[in-house]
Amino acid sequence: MNFLKQWGQFMMLGAKAHAKWEIDVSNTVFRDKKRLLILGLLTIPVVLGGFAFADQISETLPELLGGKKAYGPAYYSTSIFVVSIFIGLCAGLITGCIGAGGGFIIAPALMSAGVKGILAVGTDLFHIFAKAIMGSVIHRKLGNVSVALAFVFLIGAIIGATVGGVINRVLYEINPVLSDAFITTVYSLMLGFLGAYAMADFLKSKKIERKAFHGREAHGAKTEGAEMGNFPKKLQAINIPPKVKFDYDLTPDGRSISWLFLVLSGALVGLTAAIMGVGGGFLTFPIFVYVLGVSSMTTVGTDIFQIVFTAGYAAISQYAIYGFIFYTLAMGMLLGSLVGIQVGAVVTKVVHGITIRGFYAVTVLAGFLNRIFALPAKLGSLGIIAISKKTGALLDAIGVWALFIVIGVFAIWVIGTFFKNIGLLKGEEAMS
């Protein structure tokens, strides 16, 4: 039980770190007129294409995008574009409002909307890569990047991303349902751990209110600084050459760690990114700080660096060249998430922190139920378990409704709160 709690906490720390990156990206885009113009220009052909070709394309599109063969259309119906914006918007609202990664719901939501798992993963990866390039926040944080650390880490990340991409494609070629079942199982485990921890943390925080919350935050800030836990110290003491040196600004001789541990960490991040389509950013922060003993300042810069290259490499080399990226869908999610983050971040000024943390726990658990309820039908189709098609379809429908009702209610609540308090929020902005 203690291990499950620690793993859930580990993932929550990563989710918060990745959300901070997403918020930074969104702020960078919306504070720069040139980037806003580029975003608008990228959106125009997607919208016009949807209107111009909707009637012609709708007759040729398969019921489920990405059937047995790779499928990456240039245009699709306007309704699907609207759905992609809605999914991105909800993910952005969660990220901006709660400060923890809302990207975890994107792939499950896309799969629930009828997109094949491998196409959802590839599209999500490309959306993250596009967001990283659009934001270009890396230039402001390069001073905190240890180039040697990033280089060795990326060796492992590329290896892991390649393996993850091959696994997804091989399973898809064997049977698309097997591929969906695999991705669904991975998401079920991840969302189960994260959701259970988030709910337990919410209930504990609600019971002891702000005092315990501030205590945890203070403790976390201390842990992420120059001090290290026992495990990172032991790991850095292992003398397996070659070793990488970093954090010279914290200690006179800097810190050092074996290439082996960096490559293994990068491989885990790359593998996770390629299989789940989440960019890997949510794992980099906790691994660097709490496992490898890298300072939080160096970790933030290196994490931004690795997201660009890991997501870019995985998206292009493992999915794009095989036709497993739905580009216009990615564009809709990018547009929606950037706007959602802005609205969500503003709402935090007028909403009690514990309330939005409770919403996050419920949302993640809804994502878990969505995937776990989708699994029986897939396992039944593969002949692994005995279940009627009717029962499998019913469970799948329950999971779909559970996810979209929860994220829909959350989105309405956040947007409603935003407009309800818009006068107050304008006043605060004018005073700042």
Side-chain angles (χ1 to χ4, degrees):
M1 184 62 70
N2 189 44
F3 168 76
L4 298 181
K5 180 181 178 181
Q6 289 179 342
W7 181 246
Q9 184 180 28
F10 183 83
M11 293 183 65
M12 178 61 81
L13 290 168
K16 289 181 178 180
H18 189 69
K20 189 176 184 303
W21 170 78
E22 292 226 36
I23 292 169
D24 199 359
V25 168
S26 180
N27 289 337
T28 302
V29 172
F30 276 90
R31 290 170 184 171
D32 190 305
K33 293 181 180 179
K34 290 182 179 179
R35 289 188 177 91
L36 276 176
L37 178 62
I38 293 171
L39 183 64
L41 291 175
L42 288 172
T43 307
I44 290 173
V46 178
V47 176
L48 294 180
F51 281 115
F53 294 91
D55 295 335
Q56 300 175 26
I57 301 292
S58 61
E59 297 178 0
T60 60
L61 285 177
E63 185 178 351
L64 293 180
L65 296 172
K68 176 62 181 173
K69 296 182 180 179
Y71 184 75
Y75 300 100
Y76 56 99
S77 68
T78 307
S79 60
I80 297 177
F81 181 57
V82 172
V83 169
S84 70
I85 293 178
F86 172 74
I87 292 174
L89 176 68
C90 291
L93 289 172
I94 294 170
T95 300
C97 190
I98 299 167
F104 296 129
I105 70 163
I106 288 181
L110 289 177
M111 293 174 73
S112 296
V115 179
K116 281 293 183 182
I118 192 169
L119 194 60
V121 168
T123 302
D124 195 8
L125 267 176
F126 186 80
H127 146 253
I128 292 170
F129 175 55
K131 188 181 293 183
I133 296 299
M134 271 293 297
S136 300
V137 295
I138 190 170
H139 74 278
R140 294 191 295 149
K141 302 284 182 74
L142 277 175
N144 296 326
V145 174
S146 167
V147 176
L149 198 69
F151 175 77
V152 178
F153 181 83
L154 283 170
I155 292 174
I158 290 172
I159 294 171
T162 302
V163 173
V166 169
I167 290 173
N168 271 357
R169 294 198 312 274
V170 167
L171 292 177
Y172 186 80
E173 286 302 317
I174 294 172
N175 190 335
V177 179
L178 178 61
S179 171
D180 272 13
F182 173 68
I183 295 170
T184 295
T185 300
V186 173
Y187 262 100
S188 296
L189 292 172
M190 189 273 288
L191 293 173
F193 282 125
L194 183 59
Y197 176 80
M199 181 56 73
D201 184 60
F202 162 67
L203 294 174
K204 182 180 178 182
S205 300
K206 188 176 181 181
K207 184 177 180 181
I208 54 183
E209 289 297 326
R210 293 180 178 273
K211 185 178 178 181
F213 175 70
H214 290 309
R216 276 197 307 277
E217 288 298 295
H219 175 73
K222 182 179 179 182
T223 306
E224 295 169 15
E227 297 182 8
M228 286 192 298
N230 290 326
F231 185 78
K233 288 180 180 177
K234 291 178 180 178
L235 208 61
Q236 291 186 13
I238 298 174
N239 189 23
I240 302 178
K243 300 188 78 173
V244 177
K245 287 196 172 185
F246 53 93
D247 282 344
Y248 290 100
D249 54 336
L250 294 178
T251 57
D253 298 323
R255 295 171 179 170
S256 64
I257 194 164
S258 171
W259 276 45
L260 175 64
F261 303 123
L262 266 176
V263 171
L264 289 175
S265 298
L268 176 61
V269 170
L271 181 70
T272 306
I275 289 177
M276 299 178 63
V278 289
F282 79 99
L283 281 179
T284 309
F285 186 87
I287 286 176
F288 266 47
V289 174
Y290 299 104
V291 177
L292 301 179
V294 183
S295 71
S296 58
M297 288 183 63
T298 302
T299 295
V300 168
T302 307
D303 193 10
I304 292 169
F305 190 84
Q306 78 82 19
I307 286 174
V308 174
F309 288 96
T310 301
Y313 170 80
I316 295 170
S317 72
Q318 301 304 308
Y319 293 98
I321 63 175
Y322 296 98
F324 292 120
I325 289 181
F326 203 158
Y327 296 99
T328 38
L329 191 66
M331 191 63 232
M333 292 192 302
L334 175 64
L335 184 65
S337 66
L338 289 175
V339 173
I341 288 171
Q342 292 295 308
V343 175
V346 170
V347 168
T348 58
K349 298 178 181 180
V350 292
V351 178
H352 199 282
I354 290 181
T355 302
I356 55 180
R357 288 166 70 192
F359 262 116
Y360 182 66
V362 172
T363 303
V364 174
L365 287 175
F368 165 72
L369 289 176
N370 172 268
R371 289 299 85 202
I372 207 73
F373 273 56
L375 198 54
K378 300 181 188 303
L379 296 178
S381 297
L382 294 170
I384 297 175
I385 63 172
I387 184 173
S388 67
K389 288 186 178 181
K390 186 176 181 180
T391 303
L394 176 62
L395 291 175
D396 189 27
I398 292 173
V400 171
W401 280 104
L403 177 63
F404 282 107
I405 287 175
V406 169
I407 64 174
V409 168
F410 178 80
I412 292 170
W413 176 75
V414 173
I415 295 172
T417 302
F418 173 78
F419 283 108
K420 183 179 179 182
N421 295 276
I422 196 165
L424 177 63
L425 292 169
K426 282 184 177 179
E428 287 188 6
E429 187 176 333
M431 293 174 62
S432 60

PDB file of all heavy atoms in Angstrom, residues 20-38:
ATOM      1  N   LYS A  20       3.002  23.069 -15.349  1.00  0.00           N
ATOM      2  CA  LYS A  20       3.723  24.344 -15.281  1.00  0.00           C
ATOM      3  C   LYS A  20       4.344  24.674 -16.640  1.00  0.00           C
ATOM      4  O   LYS A  20       4.337  25.827 -17.088  1.00  0.00           O
ATOM      5  CB  LYS A  20       4.812  24.275 -14.210  1.00  0.00           C
ATOM      6  CG  LYS A  20       5.486  25.609 -13.915  1.00  0.00           C
ATOM      7  CD  LYS A  20       6.475  25.464 -12.770  1.00  0.00           C
ATOM      8  CE  LYS A  20       7.078  26.827 -12.426  1.00  0.00           C
ATOM      9  NZ  LYS A  20       7.740  27.479 -13.568  1.00  0.00           N
ATOM     10  N   TRP A  21       4.881  23.647 -17.306  1.00  0.00           N
ATOM     11  CA  TRP A  21       5.445  23.853 -18.641  1.00  0.00           C
ATOM     12  C   TRP A  21       4.357  24.271 -19.614  1.00  0.00           C
ATOM     13  O   TRP A  21       4.537  25.196 -20.416  1.00  0.00           O
ATOM     14  CB  TRP A  21       6.123  22.565 -19.118  1.00  0.00           C
ATOM     15  CG  TRP A  21       6.511  22.618 -20.559  1.00  0.00           C
ATOM     16  CD1 TRP A  21       7.583  23.261 -21.105  1.00  0.00           C
ATOM     17  CD2 TRP A  21       5.799  22.042 -21.670  1.00  0.00           C
ATOM     18  NE1 TRP A  21       7.595  23.100 -22.480  1.00  0.00           N
ATOM     19  CE2 TRP A  21       6.520  22.358 -22.845  1.00  0.00           C
ATOM     20  CE3 TRP A  21       4.640  21.266 -21.773  1.00  0.00           C
ATOM     21  CZ2 TRP A  21       6.107  21.946 -24.107  1.00  0.00           C
ATOM     22  CZ3 TRP A  21       4.234  20.846 -23.031  1.00  0.00           C
ATOM     23  CH2 TRP A  21       4.956  21.186 -24.185  1.00  0.00           C
ATOM     24  N   GLU A  22       3.196  23.598 -19.580  1.00  0.00           N
ATOM     25  CA  GLU A  22       2.101  23.921 -20.505  1.00  0.00           C
ATOM     26  C   GLU A  22       1.603  25.345 -20.293  1.00  0.00           C
ATOM     27  O   GLU A  22       1.297  26.064 -21.251  1.00  0.00           O
ATOM     28  CB  GLU A  22       0.959  22.918 -20.304  1.00  0.00           C
ATOM     29  CG  GLU A  22       1.310  21.507 -20.735  1.00  0.00           C
ATOM     30  CD  GLU A  22       0.204  20.884 -21.569  1.00  0.00           C
ATOM     31  OE1 GLU A  22      -0.427  21.612 -22.358  1.00  0.00           O
ATOM     32  OE2 GLU A  22      -0.017  19.678 -21.420  1.00  0.00           O
ATOM     33  N   ILE A  23       1.490  25.758 -19.040  1.00  0.00           N
ATOM     34  CA  ILE A  23       1.037  27.116 -18.734  1.00  0.00           C
ATOM     35  C   ILE A  23       2.048  28.135 -19.256  1.00  0.00           C
ATOM     36  O   ILE A  23       1.684  29.178 -19.810  1.00  0.00           O
ATOM     37  CB  ILE A  23       0.821  27.282 -17.215  1.00  0.00           C
ATOM     38  CG1 ILE A  23      -0.366  26.423 -16.762  1.00  0.00           C
ATOM     39  CG2 ILE A  23       0.576  28.740 -16.841  1.00  0.00           C
ATOM     40  CD1 ILE A  23      -0.515  26.307 -15.259  1.00  0.00           C
ATOM     41  N   ASP A  24       3.325  27.832 -19.080  1.00  0.00           N
ATOM     42  CA  ASP A  24       4.392  28.718 -19.575  1.00  0.00           C
ATOM     43  C   ASP A  24       4.314  28.860 -21.089  1.00  0.00           C
ATOM     44  O   ASP A  24       4.459  29.956 -21.645  1.00  0.00           O
ATOM     45  CB  ASP A  24       5.752  28.148 -19.159  1.00  0.00           C
ATOM     46  CG  ASP A  24       6.849  29.205 -19.210  1.00  0.00           C
ATOM     47  OD1 ASP A  24       6.551  30.346 -19.579  1.00  0.00           O
ATOM     48  OD2 ASP A  24       8.005  28.876 -18.884  1.00  0.00           O
ATOM     49  N   VAL A  25       4.086  27.744 -21.775  1.00  0.00           N
ATOM     50  CA  VAL A  25       3.960  27.766 -23.233  1.00  0.00           C
ATOM     51  C   VAL A  25       2.780  28.632 -23.663  1.00  0.00           C
ATOM     52  O   VAL A  25       2.885  29.476 -24.553  1.00  0.00           O
ATOM     53  CB  VAL A  25       3.790  26.342 -23.793  1.00  0.00           C
ATOM     54  CG1 VAL A  25       3.373  26.390 -25.266  1.00  0.00           C
ATOM     55  CG2 VAL A  25       5.085  25.555 -23.659  1.00  0.00           C
ATOM     56  N   SER A  26       1.624  28.419 -23.010  1.00  0.00           N
ATOM     57  CA  SER A  26       0.420  29.172 -23.361  1.00  0.00           C
ATOM     58  C   SER A  26       0.624  30.661 -23.142  1.00  0.00           C
ATOM     59  O   SER A  26       0.242  31.486 -23.979  1.00  0.00           O
ATOM     60  CB  SER A  26      -0.769  28.674 -22.519  1.00  0.00           C
ATOM     61  OG  SER A  26      -1.944  29.384 -22.846  1.00  0.00           O
ATOM     62  N   ASN A  27       1.246  31.024 -22.021  1.00  0.00           N
ATOM     63  CA  ASN A  27       1.503  32.446 -21.737  1.00  0.00           C
ATOM     64  C   ASN A  27       2.437  33.048 -22.777  1.00  0.00           C
ATOM     65  O   ASN A  27       2.255  34.192 -23.205  1.00  0.00           O
ATOM     66  CB  ASN A  27       2.113  32.598 -20.344  1.00  0.00           C
ATOM     67  CG  ASN A  27       1.109  32.322 -19.243  1.00  0.00           C
ATOM     68  OD1 ASN A  27      -0.095  32.432 -19.451  1.00  0.00           O
ATOM     69  ND2 ASN A  27       1.593  31.953 -18.077  1.00  0.00           N
ATOM     70  N   THR A  28       3.435  32.277 -23.181  1.00  0.00           N
ATOM     71  CA  THR A  28       4.388  32.770 -24.181  1.00  0.00           C
ATOM     72  C   THR A  28       3.699  33.049 -25.512  1.00  0.00           C
ATOM     73  O   THR A  28       3.959  34.067 -26.167  1.00  0.00           O
ATOM     74  CB  THR A  28       5.521  31.746 -24.389  1.00  0.00           C
ATOM     75  OG1 THR A  28       6.179  31.513 -23.149  1.00  0.00           O
ATOM     76  CG2 THR A  28       6.537  32.250 -25.403  1.00  0.00           C
ATOM     77  N   VAL A  29       2.798  32.151 -25.909  1.00  0.00           N
ATOM     78  CA  VAL A  29       2.076  32.325 -27.175  1.00  0.00           C
ATOM     79  C   VAL A  29       1.150  33.531 -27.118  1.00  0.00           C
ATOM     80  O   VAL A  29       1.133  34.378 -28.022  1.00  0.00           O
ATOM     81  CB  VAL A  29       1.269  31.054 -27.517  1.00  0.00           C
ATOM     82  CG1 VAL A  29       0.368  31.310 -28.725  1.00  0.00           C
ATOM     83  CG2 VAL A  29       2.209  29.885 -27.797  1.00  0.00           C
ATOM     84  N   PHE A  30       0.370  33.654 -26.045  1.00  0.00           N
ATOM     85  CA  PHE A  30      -0.643  34.710 -25.974  1.00  0.00           C
ATOM     86  C   PHE A  30      -0.058  36.088 -25.667  1.00  0.00           C
ATOM     87  O   PHE A  30      -0.744  37.091 -25.813  1.00  0.00           O
ATOM     88  CB  PHE A  30      -1.708  34.345 -24.934  1.00  0.00           C
ATOM     89  CG  PHE A  30      -2.767  33.438 -25.483  1.00  0.00           C
ATOM     90  CD1 PHE A  30      -2.624  32.064 -25.419  1.00  0.00           C
ATOM     91  CD2 PHE A  30      -3.892  33.950 -26.096  1.00  0.00           C
ATOM     92  CE1 PHE A  30      -3.588  31.215 -25.945  1.00  0.00           C
ATOM     93  CE2 PHE A  30      -4.864  33.124 -26.634  1.00  0.00           C
ATOM     94  CZ  PHE A  30      -4.708  31.744 -26.555  1.00  0.00           C
ATOM     95  N   ARG A  31       1.187  36.138 -25.254  1.00  0.00           N
ATOM     96  CA  ARG A  31       1.814  37.437 -24.996  1.00  0.00           C
ATOM     97  C   ARG A  31       2.656  37.912 -26.171  1.00  0.00           C
ATOM     98  O   ARG A  31       3.345  38.918 -26.079  1.00  0.00           O
ATOM     99  CB  ARG A  31       2.680  37.346 -23.729  1.00  0.00           C
ATOM    100  CG  ARG A  31       1.850  37.213 -22.463  1.00  0.00           C
ATOM    101  CD  ARG A  31       2.712  36.889 -21.265  1.00  0.00           C
ATOM    102  NE  ARG A  31       1.904  36.659 -20.072  1.00  0.00           N
ATOM    103  CZ  ARG A  31       2.383  36.196 -18.921  1.00  0.00           C
ATOM    104  NH1 ARG A  31       3.664  35.905 -18.805  1.00  0.00           N
ATOM    105  NH2 ARG A  31       1.587  36.008 -17.891  1.00  0.00           N
ATOM    106  N   ASP A  32       2.618  37.177 -27.263  1.00  0.00           N
ATOM    107  CA  ASP A  32       3.391  37.527 -28.447  1.00  0.00           C
ATOM    108  C   ASP A  32       2.458  37.593 -29.657  1.00  0.00           C
ATOM    109  O   ASP A  32       1.875  36.594 -30.052  1.00  0.00           O
ATOM    110  CB  ASP A  32       4.490  36.469 -28.662  1.00  0.00           C
ATOM    111  CG  ASP A  32       5.488  36.887 -29.728  1.00  0.00           C
ATOM    112  OD1 ASP A  32       5.045  37.183 -30.860  1.00  0.00           O
ATOM    113  OD2 ASP A  32       6.696  36.896 -29.438  1.00  0.00           O
ATOM    114  N   LYS A  33       2.315  38.765 -30.244  1.00  0.00           N
ATOM    115  CA  LYS A  33       1.398  38.951 -31.367  1.00  0.00           C
ATOM    116  C   LYS A  33       1.797  38.125 -32.587  1.00  0.00           C
ATOM    117  O   LYS A  33       0.942  37.637 -33.329  1.00  0.00           O
ATOM    118  CB  LYS A  33       1.330  40.438 -31.742  1.00  0.00           C
ATOM    119  CG  LYS A  33       0.672  41.307 -30.667  1.00  0.00           C
ATOM    120  CD  LYS A  33       0.612  42.757 -31.104  1.00  0.00           C
ATOM    121  CE  LYS A  33      -0.055  43.612 -30.028  1.00  0.00           C
ATOM    122  NZ  LYS A  33      -0.107  45.044 -30.417  1.00  0.00           N
ATOM    123  N   LYS A  34       3.087  37.948 -32.804  1.00  0.00           N
ATOM    124  CA  LYS A  34       3.547  37.178 -33.957  1.00  0.00           C
ATOM    125  C   LYS A  34       3.139  35.712 -33.818  1.00  0.00           C
ATOM    126  O   LYS A  34       2.689  35.086 -34.784  1.00  0.00           O
ATOM    127  CB  LYS A  34       5.063  37.287 -34.090  1.00  0.00           C
ATOM    128  CG  LYS A  34       5.551  38.669 -34.521  1.00  0.00           C
ATOM    129  CD  LYS A  34       7.059  38.687 -34.687  1.00  0.00           C
ATOM    130  CE  LYS A  34       7.546  40.071 -35.136  1.00  0.00           C
ATOM    131  NZ  LYS A  34       9.032  40.107 -35.268  1.00  0.00           N
ATOM    132  N   ARG A  35       3.282  35.162 -32.597  1.00  0.00           N
ATOM    133  CA  ARG A  35       2.911  33.765 -32.388  1.00  0.00           C
ATOM    134  C   ARG A  35       1.399  33.588 -32.517  1.00  0.00           C
ATOM    135  O   ARG A  35       0.921  32.584 -33.045  1.00  0.00           O
ATOM    136  CB  ARG A  35       3.383  33.297 -31.012  1.00  0.00           C
ATOM    137  CG  ARG A  35       4.899  33.139 -30.898  1.00  0.00           C
ATOM    138  CD  ARG A  35       5.265  32.491 -29.562  1.00  0.00           C
ATOM    139  NE  ARG A  35       6.703  32.255 -29.465  1.00  0.00           N
ATOM    140  CZ  ARG A  35       7.578  33.099 -28.968  1.00  0.00           C
ATOM    141  NH1 ARG A  35       7.165  34.283 -28.530  1.00  0.00           N
ATOM    142  NH2 ARG A  35       8.861  32.815 -28.899  1.00  0.00           N
ATOM    143  N   LEU A  36       0.644  34.572 -32.035  1.00  0.00           N
ATOM    144  CA  LEU A  36      -0.819  34.521 -32.177  1.00  0.00           C
ATOM    145  C   LEU A  36      -1.216  34.541 -33.651  1.00  0.00           C
ATOM    146  O   LEU A  36      -2.143  33.842 -34.073  1.00  0.00           O
ATOM    147  CB  LEU A  36      -1.462  35.692 -31.438  1.00  0.00           C
ATOM    148  CG  LEU A  36      -1.713  35.510 -29.936  1.00  0.00           C
ATOM    149  CD1 LEU A  36      -2.253  36.793 -29.331  1.00  0.00           C
ATOM    150  CD2 LEU A  36      -2.680  34.355 -29.688  1.00  0.00           C
ATOM    151  N   LEU A  37      -0.518  35.356 -34.425  1.00  0.00           N
ATOM    152  CA  LEU A  37      -0.796  35.450 -35.862  1.00  0.00           C
ATOM    153  C   LEU A  37      -0.506  34.114 -36.547  1.00  0.00           C
ATOM    154  O   LEU A  37      -1.292  33.640 -37.379  1.00  0.00           O
ATOM    155  CB  LEU A  37       0.052  36.558 -36.488  1.00  0.00           C
ATOM    156  CG  LEU A  37      -0.090  36.745 -38.005  1.00  0.00           C
ATOM    157  CD1 LEU A  37      -1.530  37.122 -38.360  1.00  0.00           C
ATOM    158  CD2 LEU A  37       0.882  37.810 -38.504  1.00  0.00           C
ATOM    159  N   ILE A  38       0.610  33.500 -36.186  1.00  0.00           N
ATOM    160  CA  ILE A  38       0.972  32.192 -36.756  1.00  0.00           C
ATOM    161  C   ILE A  38      -0.081  31.154 -36.409  1.00  0.00           C
ATOM    162  O   ILE A  38      -0.505  30.356 -37.255  1.00  0.00           O
ATOM    163  CB  ILE A  38       2.357  31.740 -36.243  1.00  0.00           C
ATOM    164  CG1 ILE A  38       3.450  32.662 -36.800  1.00  0.00           C
ATOM    165  CG2 ILE A  38       2.632  30.293 -36.646  1.00  0.00           C
ATOM    166  CD1 ILE A  38       4.811  32.428 -36.185  1.00  0.00           C
TER     167      ILE A  38
END
